[in-house]
Amino acid sequence: MAAPSGWRRDGNLPNELTSFVGRTRLLTILRQRLREHRLVTVTGIGGVGKSRTALRIAHQMRDQFKDGVWFADIARQRDPRMLRHTINSALGIADQSSRSAEEALV
């Protein structure tokens, strides 16, 4: 299947603006999980650095994924009906067909 128009192979990761210290064990576990699974979700209480950790591992491993690594920020998502739209938007999928957002994403 052909890549969508305007598709970038490198992903959409934001630049890392600060240094990253510690969490070596957690990064090792995440690296292992990402080798075993296509999607890994990092969860926990707010403010402990989940997004920062996820972005760090994404930057470390992005060369291992031929289609890039993509970041969909769902931290502020309050309406579950908008989740597919948020992910499609992060991936740059702007489907104008009659397909549902879920069908376009798949």
Side-chain angles (χ1 to χ4, degrees):
M1 184 165 141
S5 175
W7 183 261
R8 297 184 339 257
R9 288 277 183 208
D10 56 344
N12 69 339
L13 296 179
N15 292 329
E16 293 186 282
L17 301 176
T18 59
S19 60
F20 191 89
V21 178
R23 301 188 185 218
T24 306
R25 183 171 178 259
L26 177 58
L27 291 171
T28 300
I29 292 168
L30 287 172
R31 195 174 298 110
Q32 177 185 350
R33 297 290 189 269
L34 283 165
R35 287 186 185 117
E36 297 169 355
H37 307 284
R38 292 179 56 183
L39 176 67
V40 174
T41 303
V42 179
T43 63
I45 61 172
V48 296
K50 296 175 300 294
S51 295
R52 182 71 178 94
T53 301
L55 284 172
R56 181 68 197 139
I57 196 71
H59 276 280
Q60 286 181 346
M61 295 188 69
R62 68 179 164 198
D63 292 340
Q64 297 178 33
F65 297 93
K66 69 177 184 159
D67 291 321
V69 175
W70 298 83
F71 179 73
D73 188 359
I74 60 172
R76 291 172 199 74
Q77 187 64 255
R78 297 295 176 251
D79 185 351
R81 296 172 297 178
M82 294 300 294
L83 182 60
R84 289 183 192 103
H85 172 74
T86 301
I87 294 171
N88 282 353
S89 179
L91 293 173
I93 298 172
D95 188 43
Q96 301 297 321
S97 72
S98 62
R99 296 182 301 181
S100 70
E102 182 178 8
E103 291 171 323
L105 179 58
V106 171

